[in-house]
Amino acid sequence: MSAQNYFDYAATTPLDPRVWAAMQPYFETEFGNPSSVHGYGQRAEAAVESARGRLAAALGCQPEELVFTSGGTESNNLALRGAALAARRQRGANRLLVSPVEHSAVARTAEQLATEFGFELVRLPVDEYGMVHPQDVARLLTADTALVSVILANNEIGTINPISEIAAICRERGVLLHSDAIQAPAYRPLNVNDLGIDLLSLGAHKLYGPKGVGLLYRRAGTPLLPIQTGGSHESGLRAGTHNVPYIVGLAEAFELAQSEVDQTTSQLVRLRDRIISKVLEISASQLTGHPAQRLPNHASFVFKGVDGNALLMLLDDAGFACSSGSACKTGDPQPSEVLLAMGITPEWAAGSLRITLGKHTTPANVDALLTALPSLVERARALEGNLEINAADKHR
Ligand SMILES: *Cc1c(COP(=O)(O)O)cnc(C)c1O
């Protein structure tokens, strides 16, 4: 199975050998605890602070504005819970404005803040492409809003949101904006000041870094309560011994990904566009997400009369590793809430397919997939007893 064609880079990426080389000494010889006073500790601390400095330079912020976490999920949890609870304590703010197309790490955290902590959760509308419009943020913002959260680049549908426009509105009204940017850094230059953002979540394993390490950018002065308590690590915002090799790996992976954005993007856009035009030749198929404002490595579809999980299994058997949407939802028979929020009917949403490319994807991989896919979709339809799909079903 190692010869499978991998089309699931939005779920995770292989570790870049250069990243592994940078990490390795911190497992073996430089294994110290950065909080220790002796030489081992000092060298480990220097490695953490050097990584922080490199990441700050790449993101256009100060090193003190970065908090290391255990991954994208934790960064999102810290941003939402930490900022919501701090805003309530500081100014009595009790309302959360969250897009309906968030990763579950944001969506479920916002729901828990509503059900267990009494926040009022207001969902922003999205258009048919899953995009949030700045004027809707302006319309729904109130003085008692603690936090707005809008995903930067969507993991399921690839749509890129106008974050800097949304940020300008939030800033004018004095309300914090968080964005989950975890899918973005391998494909877009990221600068926190250009974005005008207050809180930004990042993770390493979507950009050829290790799983289990992430970062929260927190603009200086942004009130945040720690959600993991203990030692005074990370200026008291995130307790726990630093994962030194992974933090070093995050910095290395992030720098490499950002420096290679142009190359990666031009290489992948052509392959992506070929996939989109070929797959849309299959009957009763539809692109999900924005046709232009989308990640360059991301193609996502729905097929009428198809069980998405059945299609994934057929693809897997045929040697293609794809996804139905978020890796965190695999096996869940419910149609994706992201697709439903965009107005796609449950019947179509059940047949979702996500094809995501990365720097190791070759034209030959894409050719093989495009050759195999049409008949696999027809087989999945036959399993559902849906043989009578015709051209009239092209549009929902
Ligand atoms: C992968 C992902 C996450 C979760 O990050 P982990 O590091 O896997 O916890 C959150 N949001 C988005 C958009 C993602 O793609």
Side-chain angles (χ1 to χ4, degrees):
M1 267 307 181
S2 62
Q4 253 200 346
N5 293 274
Y6 189 72
F7 288 102
D8 205 7
Y9 284 83
T12 196
T13 58
L15 192 73
D16 187 306
R18 295 168 292 182
V19 174
W20 172 233
M23 294 169 65
Q24 216 172 354
Y26 297 96
F27 286 107
E28 293 173 343
T29 46
E30 297 299 340
F31 58 85
N33 183 329
S35 303
S36 301
V37 292
H38 47 63
Y40 284 95
Q42 289 168 24
R43 290 193 297 278
E45 188 191 16
V48 169
E49 294 316 315
S50 158
R52 197 190 307 277
R54 290 164 66 190
L55 284 158
L59 284 161
C61 65
Q62 297 302 313
E64 311 79 65
E65 295 178 309
L66 300 180
V67 182
F68 290 118
T69 68
S70 67
T73 296
E74 189 192 329
S75 297
N76 284 335
N77 270 264
L78 177 56
L80 264 83
R81 199 171 289 117
L85 294 174
R88 169 188 278 173
R89 192 183 58 180
Q90 218 181 39
R91 53 190 184 90
N94 210 41
R95 187 173 143 108
L96 301 171
L97 204 50
V98 178
S99 98
V101 293
E102 296 298 308
H103 186 276
S104 49
V106 168
R108 298 291 87 78
T109 305
E111 279 164 18
Q112 196 202 49
L113 283 165
T115 56
E116 302 297 328
F117 295 85
F119 283 87
E120 182 195 357
L121 175 56
V122 178
R123 300 246 188 243
L124 286 157
V126 287
D127 67 15
E128 64 188 305
Y129 306 121
M131 188 180 278
V132 174
H133 288 268
Q135 62 268 30
D136 289 319
V137 178
R139 187 168 53 81
L140 291 166
L141 259 190
T142 52
D144 70 339
T145 302
L147 181 74
V148 178
S149 189
V150 176
I151 192 166
L152 196 152
N154 193 283
N155 51 303
E156 266 187 73
I157 53 168
T159 298
I160 294 164
N161 274 308
I163 295 298
S164 50
E165 284 92 326
I166 294 170
I169 291 165
C170 292
R171 179 168 294 188
E172 196 186 299
R173 307 277 282 273
V175 173
L176 297 176
L177 175 64
H178 165 254
S179 187
D180 172 347
I182 291 160
Q183 287 288 335
Y187 312 103
R188 299 177 73 74
L190 274 191
N191 178 294
V192 291
N193 291 312
D194 292 348
L195 288 170
I197 197 99
D198 303 293
L199 295 156
L200 189 83
S201 297
L202 293 170
H205 78 93
K206 310 288 172 70
L207 45 113
Y208 309 94
K211 294 165 187 65
V213 64
L215 183 66
L216 179 66
Y217 161 75
R218 165 188 171 256
R219 183 177 296 282
T222 303
L224 196 71
L225 277 189
I227 59 166
Q228 176 158 303
T229 47
S232 59
H233 315 85
E234 297 298 285
S235 315
L237 289 174
R238 200 277 182 182
T241 301
H242 290 99
N243 192 340
V244 182
Y246 281 45
I247 289 169
V248 169
L250 167 63
E252 186 75 17
F254 190 84
E255 272 187 355
L256 287 168
Q258 285 278 282
S259 70
E260 291 169 1
V261 158
D262 289 345
Q263 190 189 326
T264 311
T265 300
S266 60
Q267 176 195 337
L268 296 181
V269 155
R270 257 172 288 142
L271 294 175
R272 178 202 69 184
D273 289 347
R274 212 165 121 243
I275 291 171
I276 291 176
S277 69
K278 278 291 180 192
V279 171
L280 291 180
E281 287 174 8
I282 297 172
S283 65
S285 62
Q286 191 197 315
L287 182 71
T288 57
H290 202 283
Q293 296 300 318
R294 69 181 300 131
L295 286 167
N297 70 322
H298 197 295
S300 54
F301 306 91
V302 283
F303 301 101
K304 192 182 178 194
V306 167
D307 171 358
N309 282 326
L311 178 59
L312 286 188
M313 282 183 246
L314 292 171
L315 280 160
D316 184 47
D317 274 349
F320 302 98
C322 300
S323 161
S324 61
S326 171
C328 307
K329 275 191 59 83
T330 308
D332 185 342
Q334 292 303 313
S336 145
E337 60 195 71
V338 169
L339 298 179
L340 298 180
M342 295 156 62
I344 294 176
T345 62
E347 189 190 7
W348 279 80
S352 60
L353 176 66
R354 179 181 75 180
I355 299 166
T356 48
L357 316 177
K359 61 185 181 185
H360 306 297
T361 309
T362 64
N365 293 140
V366 171
D367 284 340
L369 176 68
L370 292 176
T371 304
L373 187 61
S375 62
L376 296 176
V377 170
E378 290 319 313
R379 269 172 63 194
R381 275 191 180 132
L383 291 173
E384 295 284 288
N386 287 308
L387 296 164
E388 314 252 318
I389 301 288
N390 55 47
D393 279 322
K394 192 76 194 165
H395 303 286
R396 70 191 139 105

PDB file of all heavy atoms in Angstrom, residues 10-11 70-74 76 103-106 151 153-155 180-183 202-206 211-214 328 354, ligand 1:
ATOM      1  N   ALA A  10      -4.341  18.034   2.965  1.00  0.00           N
ATOM      2  CA  ALA A  10      -5.046  18.899   3.920  1.00  0.00           C
ATOM      3  C   ALA A  10      -5.232  18.178   5.255  1.00  0.00           C
ATOM      4  O   ALA A  10      -5.464  18.826   6.279  1.00  0.00           O
ATOM      5  CB  ALA A  10      -6.401  19.334   3.362  1.00  0.00           C
ATOM      6  N   ALA A  11      -5.136  16.838   5.253  1.00  0.00           N
ATOM      7  CA  ALA A  11      -5.242  16.087   6.513  1.00  0.00           C
ATOM      8  C   ALA A  11      -3.906  16.079   7.234  1.00  0.00           C
ATOM      9  O   ALA A  11      -3.835  16.295   8.443  1.00  0.00           O
ATOM     10  CB  ALA A  11      -5.700  14.656   6.254  1.00  0.00           C
ATOM     11  N   SER A  70       0.404  22.498  21.753  1.00  0.00           N
ATOM     12  CA  SER A  70       0.542  21.110  21.293  1.00  0.00           C
ATOM     13  C   SER A  70      -0.071  20.889  19.917  1.00  0.00           C
ATOM     14  O   SER A  70      -0.184  19.756  19.468  1.00  0.00           O
ATOM     15  CB  SER A  70      -0.120  20.163  22.292  1.00  0.00           C
ATOM     16  OG  SER A  70      -1.523  20.375  22.276  1.00  0.00           O
ATOM     17  N   GLY A  71      -0.488  21.959  19.243  1.00  0.00           N
ATOM     18  CA  GLY A  71      -1.027  21.774  17.891  1.00  0.00           C
ATOM     19  C   GLY A  71      -2.127  22.767  17.577  1.00  0.00           C
ATOM     20  O   GLY A  71      -2.484  23.629  18.395  1.00  0.00           O
ATOM     21  N   GLY A  72      -2.661  22.625  16.372  1.00  0.00           N
ATOM     22  CA  GLY A  72      -3.690  23.541  15.918  1.00  0.00           C
ATOM     23  C   GLY A  72      -4.933  23.512  16.800  1.00  0.00           C
ATOM     24  O   GLY A  72      -5.521  24.557  17.098  1.00  0.00           O
ATOM     25  N   THR A  73      -5.322  22.329  17.222  1.00  0.00           N
ATOM     26  CA  THR A  73      -6.520  22.204  18.058  1.00  0.00           C
ATOM     27  C   THR A  73      -6.351  22.984  19.360  1.00  0.00           C
ATOM     28  O   THR A  73      -7.232  23.744  19.770  1.00  0.00           O
ATOM     29  CB  THR A  73      -6.811  20.718  18.341  1.00  0.00           C
ATOM     30  OG1 THR A  73      -7.116  20.078  17.095  1.00  0.00           O
ATOM     31  CG2 THR A  73      -7.960  20.543  19.303  1.00  0.00           C
ATOM     32  N   GLU A  74      -5.200  22.812  19.991  1.00  0.00           N
ATOM     33  CA  GLU A  74      -4.982  23.539  21.254  1.00  0.00           C
ATOM     34  C   GLU A  74      -4.910  25.041  21.015  1.00  0.00           C
ATOM     35  O   GLU A  74      -5.421  25.833  21.827  1.00  0.00           O
ATOM     36  CB  GLU A  74      -3.709  23.057  21.966  1.00  0.00           C
ATOM     37  CG  GLU A  74      -3.626  23.664  23.358  1.00  0.00           C
ATOM     38  CD  GLU A  74      -2.287  23.487  24.054  1.00  0.00           C
ATOM     39  OE1 GLU A  74      -1.597  22.485  23.824  1.00  0.00           O
ATOM     40  OE2 GLU A  74      -1.930  24.391  24.829  1.00  0.00           O
ATOM     41  N   ASN A  76      -6.495  26.773  18.813  1.00  0.00           N
ATOM     42  CA  ASN A  76      -7.875  27.239  18.668  1.00  0.00           C
ATOM     43  C   ASN A  76      -8.602  27.260  20.014  1.00  0.00           C
ATOM     44  O   ASN A  76      -9.348  28.192  20.312  1.00  0.00           O
ATOM     45  CB  ASN A  76      -8.640  26.347  17.687  1.00  0.00           C
ATOM     46  CG  ASN A  76      -8.273  26.634  16.233  1.00  0.00           C
ATOM     47  OD1 ASN A  76      -7.831  27.734  15.894  1.00  0.00           O
ATOM     48  ND2 ASN A  76      -8.455  25.652  15.364  1.00  0.00           N
ATOM     49  N   HIS A 103     -13.397  24.699  11.454  1.00  0.00           N
ATOM     50  CA  HIS A 103     -12.924  23.368  11.858  1.00  0.00           C
ATOM     51  C   HIS A 103     -13.569  23.030  13.200  1.00  0.00           C
ATOM     52  O   HIS A 103     -13.875  23.922  13.998  1.00  0.00           O
ATOM     53  CB  HIS A 103     -11.403  23.425  11.998  1.00  0.00           C
ATOM     54  CG  HIS A 103     -10.758  22.094  12.271  1.00  0.00           C
ATOM     55  ND1 HIS A 103     -10.650  21.566  13.544  1.00  0.00           N
ATOM     56  CD2 HIS A 103     -10.177  21.198  11.445  1.00  0.00           C
ATOM     57  CE1 HIS A 103     -10.020  20.395  13.480  1.00  0.00           C
ATOM     58  NE2 HIS A 103      -9.729  20.144  12.217  1.00  0.00           N
ATOM     59  N   SER A 104     -13.748  21.738  13.469  1.00  0.00           N
ATOM     60  CA  SER A 104     -14.420  21.343  14.717  1.00  0.00           C
ATOM     61  C   SER A 104     -13.684  21.858  15.956  1.00  0.00           C
ATOM     62  O   SER A 104     -14.303  22.063  17.001  1.00  0.00           O
ATOM     63  CB  SER A 104     -14.587  19.826  14.777  1.00  0.00           C
ATOM     64  OG  SER A 104     -13.366  19.187  14.476  1.00  0.00           O
ATOM     65  N   ALA A 105     -12.375  22.105  15.869  1.00  0.00           N
ATOM     66  CA  ALA A 105     -11.638  22.606  17.031  1.00  0.00           C
ATOM     67  C   ALA A 105     -12.123  23.998  17.438  1.00  0.00           C
ATOM     68  O   ALA A 105     -12.043  24.372  18.612  1.00  0.00           O
ATOM     69  CB  ALA A 105     -10.135  22.644  16.738  1.00  0.00           C
ATOM     70  N   VAL A 106     -12.632  24.769  16.499  1.00  0.00           N
ATOM     71  CA  VAL A 106     -13.249  26.060  16.820  1.00  0.00           C
ATOM     72  C   VAL A 106     -14.743  25.872  17.086  1.00  0.00           C
ATOM     73  O   VAL A 106     -15.279  26.371  18.078  1.00  0.00           O
ATOM     74  CB  VAL A 106     -13.046  27.075  15.670  1.00  0.00           C
ATOM     75  CG1 VAL A 106     -13.931  28.305  15.856  1.00  0.00           C
ATOM     76  CG2 VAL A 106     -11.574  27.489  15.601  1.00  0.00           C
ATOM     77  N   ILE A 151     -12.360  31.391   9.960  1.00  0.00           N
ATOM     78  CA  ILE A 151     -11.261  30.587   9.426  1.00  0.00           C
ATOM     79  C   ILE A 151     -10.622  31.299   8.227  1.00  0.00           C
ATOM     80  O   ILE A 151     -11.321  31.919   7.422  1.00  0.00           O
ATOM     81  CB  ILE A 151     -11.776  29.177   9.063  1.00  0.00           C
ATOM     82  CG1 ILE A 151     -10.626  28.206   8.782  1.00  0.00           C
ATOM     83  CG2 ILE A 151     -12.767  29.206   7.902  1.00  0.00           C
ATOM     84  CD1 ILE A 151     -11.070  26.734   8.753  1.00  0.00           C
ATOM     85  N   ALA A 153      -8.335  29.894   5.701  1.00  0.00           N
ATOM     86  CA  ALA A 153      -8.463  29.050   4.506  1.00  0.00           C
ATOM     87  C   ALA A 153      -9.137  27.754   4.948  1.00  0.00           C
ATOM     88  O   ALA A 153      -8.629  27.057   5.822  1.00  0.00           O
ATOM     89  CB  ALA A 153      -7.098  28.760   3.896  1.00  0.00           C
ATOM     90  N   ASN A 154     -10.277  27.458   4.329  1.00  0.00           N
ATOM     91  CA  ASN A 154     -11.102  26.356   4.816  1.00  0.00           C
ATOM     92  C   ASN A 154     -10.510  24.992   4.466  1.00  0.00           C
ATOM     93  O   ASN A 154     -10.153  24.736   3.318  1.00  0.00           O
ATOM     94  CB  ASN A 154     -12.519  26.476   4.255  1.00  0.00           C
ATOM     95  CG  ASN A 154     -13.467  25.549   4.963  1.00  0.00           C
ATOM     96  OD1 ASN A 154     -13.471  24.352   4.704  1.00  0.00           O
ATOM     97  ND2 ASN A 154     -14.250  26.086   5.880  1.00  0.00           N
ATOM     98  N   ASN A 155     -10.448  24.109   5.462  1.00  0.00           N
ATOM     99  CA  ASN A 155      -9.874  22.782   5.252  1.00  0.00           C
ATOM    100  C   ASN A 155     -10.759  21.886   4.399  1.00  0.00           C
ATOM    101  O   ASN A 155     -10.265  21.029   3.670  1.00  0.00           O
ATOM    102  CB  ASN A 155      -9.595  22.103   6.605  1.00  0.00           C
ATOM    103  CG  ASN A 155     -10.787  22.121   7.535  1.00  0.00           C
ATOM    104  OD1 ASN A 155     -11.324  23.186   7.864  1.00  0.00           O
ATOM    105  ND2 ASN A 155     -11.233  20.952   7.948  1.00  0.00           N
ATOM    106  N   ASP A 180      -8.301  30.923  12.361  1.00  0.00           N
ATOM    107  CA  ASP A 180      -7.633  29.621  12.246  1.00  0.00           C
ATOM    108  C   ASP A 180      -6.960  29.610  10.867  1.00  0.00           C
ATOM    109  O   ASP A 180      -7.634  29.526   9.841  1.00  0.00           O
ATOM    110  CB  ASP A 180      -8.703  28.524  12.378  1.00  0.00           C
ATOM    111  CG  ASP A 180      -8.177  27.126  12.079  1.00  0.00           C
ATOM    112  OD1 ASP A 180      -7.064  26.987  11.534  1.00  0.00           O
ATOM    113  OD2 ASP A 180      -8.918  26.159  12.369  1.00  0.00           O
ATOM    114  N   ALA A 181      -5.621  29.733  10.882  1.00  0.00           N
ATOM    115  CA  ALA A 181      -4.866  29.836   9.620  1.00  0.00           C
ATOM    116  C   ALA A 181      -4.109  28.549   9.310  1.00  0.00           C
ATOM    117  O   ALA A 181      -3.177  28.547   8.511  1.00  0.00           O
ATOM    118  CB  ALA A 181      -3.901  31.008   9.697  1.00  0.00           C
ATOM    119  N   ILE A 182      -4.533  27.447   9.926  1.00  0.00           N
ATOM    120  CA  ILE A 182      -3.716  26.233   9.918  1.00  0.00           C
ATOM    121  C   ILE A 182      -3.486  25.668   8.515  1.00  0.00           C
ATOM    122  O   ILE A 182      -2.446  25.075   8.238  1.00  0.00           O
ATOM    123  CB  ILE A 182      -4.349  25.212  10.902  1.00  0.00           C
ATOM    124  CG1 ILE A 182      -4.160  25.752  12.322  1.00  0.00           C
ATOM    125  CG2 ILE A 182      -3.757  23.824  10.756  1.00  0.00           C
ATOM    126  CD1 ILE A 182      -5.078  25.167  13.357  1.00  0.00           C
ATOM    127  N   GLN A 183      -4.435  25.881   7.606  1.00  0.00           N
ATOM    128  CA  GLN A 183      -4.265  25.353   6.247  1.00  0.00           C
ATOM    129  C   GLN A 183      -3.422  26.257   5.345  1.00  0.00           C
ATOM    130  O   GLN A 183      -3.101  25.878   4.225  1.00  0.00           O
ATOM    131  CB  GLN A 183      -5.634  25.146   5.578  1.00  0.00           C
ATOM    132  CG  GLN A 183      -6.422  23.968   6.095  1.00  0.00           C
ATOM    133  CD  GLN A 183      -5.841  22.615   5.662  1.00  0.00           C
ATOM    134  OE1 GLN A 183      -5.156  22.498   4.662  1.00  0.00           O
ATOM    135  NE2 GLN A 183      -6.120  21.599   6.447  1.00  0.00           N
ATOM    136  N   LEU A 202      -1.845  28.456  14.348  1.00  0.00           N
ATOM    137  CA  LEU A 202      -1.039  27.737  13.364  1.00  0.00           C
ATOM    138  C   LEU A 202      -0.672  26.367  13.916  1.00  0.00           C
ATOM    139  O   LEU A 202      -0.648  26.166  15.128  1.00  0.00           O
ATOM    140  CB  LEU A 202       0.243  28.527  13.055  1.00  0.00           C
ATOM    141  CG  LEU A 202       0.053  29.866  12.334  1.00  0.00           C
ATOM    142  CD1 LEU A 202       1.354  30.651  12.317  1.00  0.00           C
ATOM    143  CD2 LEU A 202      -0.454  29.626  10.911  1.00  0.00           C
ATOM    144  N   GLY A 203      -0.359  25.446  13.014  1.00  0.00           N
ATOM    145  CA  GLY A 203       0.098  24.117  13.410  1.00  0.00           C
ATOM    146  C   GLY A 203       1.163  23.667  12.434  1.00  0.00           C
ATOM    147  O   GLY A 203       1.258  24.209  11.323  1.00  0.00           O
ATOM    148  N   ALA A 204       1.963  22.685  12.821  1.00  0.00           N
ATOM    149  CA  ALA A 204       3.115  22.325  11.987  1.00  0.00           C
ATOM    150  C   ALA A 204       2.823  21.222  10.970  1.00  0.00           C
ATOM    151  O   ALA A 204       3.445  21.176   9.916  1.00  0.00           O
ATOM    152  CB  ALA A 204       4.287  21.894  12.877  1.00  0.00           C
ATOM    153  N   HIS A 205       1.884  20.327  11.269  1.00  0.00           N
ATOM    154  CA  HIS A 205       1.834  19.112  10.442  1.00  0.00           C
ATOM    155  C   HIS A 205       1.081  19.268   9.124  1.00  0.00           C
ATOM    156  O   HIS A 205       1.042  18.340   8.317  1.00  0.00           O
ATOM    157  CB  HIS A 205       1.339  17.911  11.255  1.00  0.00           C
ATOM    158  CG  HIS A 205      -0.140  17.827  11.489  1.00  0.00           C
ATOM    159  ND1 HIS A 205      -0.973  17.117  10.663  1.00  0.00           N
ATOM    160  CD2 HIS A 205      -0.912  18.329  12.467  1.00  0.00           C
ATOM    161  CE1 HIS A 205      -2.206  17.184  11.144  1.00  0.00           C
ATOM    162  NE2 HIS A 205      -2.200  17.927  12.231  1.00  0.00           N
ATOM    163  N   LYS A 206       0.506  20.442   8.871  1.00  0.00           N
ATOM    164  CA  LYS A 206      -0.070  20.693   7.544  1.00  0.00           C
ATOM    165  C   LYS A 206       0.961  21.350   6.632  1.00  0.00           C
ATOM    166  O   LYS A 206       0.650  21.678   5.497  1.00  0.00           O
ATOM    167  CB  LYS A 206      -1.311  21.592   7.663  1.00  0.00           C
ATOM    168  CG  LYS A 206      -2.341  21.139   8.702  1.00  0.00           C
ATOM    169  CD  LYS A 206      -3.095  19.903   8.291  1.00  0.00           C
ATOM    170  CE  LYS A 206      -3.980  19.325   9.387  1.00  0.00           C
ATOM    171  NZ  LYS A 206      -5.156  20.098   9.731  1.00  0.00           N
ATOM    172  N   LYS A 211       3.609  16.433  13.699  1.00  0.00           N
ATOM    173  CA  LYS A 211       2.320  16.502  14.386  1.00  0.00           C
ATOM    174  C   LYS A 211       2.563  16.807  15.860  1.00  0.00           C
ATOM    175  O   LYS A 211       3.604  16.447  16.399  1.00  0.00           O
ATOM    176  CB  LYS A 211       1.583  15.166  14.242  1.00  0.00           C
ATOM    177  CG  LYS A 211       1.194  14.865  12.796  1.00  0.00           C
ATOM    178  CD  LYS A 211       0.799  13.409  12.609  1.00  0.00           C
ATOM    179  CE  LYS A 211       0.577  13.091  11.148  1.00  0.00           C
ATOM    180  NZ  LYS A 211       1.824  13.201  10.340  1.00  0.00           N
ATOM    181  N   GLY A 212       1.599  17.463  16.498  1.00  0.00           N
ATOM    182  CA  GLY A 212       1.708  17.655  17.946  1.00  0.00           C
ATOM    183  C   GLY A 212       2.425  18.926  18.362  1.00  0.00           C
ATOM    184  O   GLY A 212       2.896  19.012  19.490  1.00  0.00           O
ATOM    185  N   VAL A 213       2.520  19.903  17.485  1.00  0.00           N
ATOM    186  CA  VAL A 213       3.061  21.202  17.899  1.00  0.00           C
ATOM    187  C   VAL A 213       2.366  22.300  17.105  1.00  0.00           C
ATOM    188  O   VAL A 213       2.057  22.131  15.919  1.00  0.00           O
ATOM    189  CB  VAL A 213       4.593  21.271  17.743  1.00  0.00           C
ATOM    190  CG1 VAL A 213       5.044  21.144  16.299  1.00  0.00           C
ATOM    191  CG2 VAL A 213       5.162  22.548  18.380  1.00  0.00           C
ATOM    192  N   GLY A 214       2.095  23.408  17.772  1.00  0.00           N
ATOM    193  CA  GLY A 214       1.422  24.526  17.130  1.00  0.00           C
ATOM    194  C   GLY A 214       1.798  25.825  17.805  1.00  0.00           C
ATOM    195  O   GLY A 214       2.690  25.875  18.666  1.00  0.00           O
ATOM    196  N   CYS A 328     -11.070  14.924  10.678  1.00  0.00           N
ATOM    197  CA  CYS A 328     -11.621  14.768  12.022  1.00  0.00           C
ATOM    198  C   CYS A 328     -13.064  14.285  11.988  1.00  0.00           C
ATOM    199  O   CYS A 328     -13.698  14.119  13.011  1.00  0.00           O
ATOM    200  CB  CYS A 328     -11.523  16.084  12.778  1.00  0.00           C
ATOM    201  SG  CYS A 328      -9.855  16.743  12.758  1.00  0.00           S
ATOM    202  N   ARG A 354     -12.834  15.256  -1.196  1.00  0.00           N
ATOM    203  CA  ARG A 354     -11.787  16.284  -1.141  1.00  0.00           C
ATOM    204  C   ARG A 354     -10.488  15.691  -1.678  1.00  0.00           C
ATOM    205  O   ARG A 354     -10.040  14.648  -1.213  1.00  0.00           O
ATOM    206  CB  ARG A 354     -11.596  16.753   0.301  1.00  0.00           C
ATOM    207  CG  ARG A 354     -10.500  17.818   0.434  1.00  0.00           C
ATOM    208  CD  ARG A 354     -10.309  18.243   1.873  1.00  0.00           C
ATOM    209  NE  ARG A 354      -9.605  17.238   2.645  1.00  0.00           N
ATOM    210  CZ  ARG A 354      -9.315  17.362   3.942  1.00  0.00           C
ATOM    211  NH1 ARG A 354      -9.689  18.442   4.604  1.00  0.00           N
ATOM    212  NH2 ARG A 354      -8.667  16.411   4.579  1.00  0.00           N
TER     213      ARG A 354
HETATM  214  C1  LIG B   1      -5.718  20.302  10.960  1.00  0.00           C
HETATM  215  C2  LIG B   1      -6.526  21.477  11.326  1.00  0.00           C
HETATM  216  C3  LIG B   1      -6.788  21.797  12.664  1.00  0.00           C
HETATM  217  C4  LIG B   1      -6.315  20.929  13.801  1.00  0.00           C
HETATM  218  O1  LIG B   1      -4.920  20.991  13.951  1.00  0.00           O
HETATM  219  P1  LIG B   1      -4.150  19.807  14.732  1.00  0.00           P
HETATM  220  O2  LIG B   1      -2.729  20.304  14.746  1.00  0.00           O
HETATM  221  O3  LIG B   1      -4.328  18.588  13.903  1.00  0.00           O
HETATM  222  O4  LIG B   1      -4.732  19.717  16.079  1.00  0.00           O
HETATM  223  C5  LIG B   1      -7.530  22.925  12.931  1.00  0.00           C
HETATM  224  N1  LIG B   1      -7.985  23.713  11.951  1.00  0.00           N
HETATM  225  C6  LIG B   1      -7.746  23.456  10.649  1.00  0.00           C
HETATM  226  C7  LIG B   1      -8.274  24.375   9.604  1.00  0.00           C
HETATM  227  C8  LIG B   1      -7.018  22.325  10.294  1.00  0.00           C
HETATM  228  O5  LIG B   1      -6.802  22.065   9.008  1.00  0.00           O
END
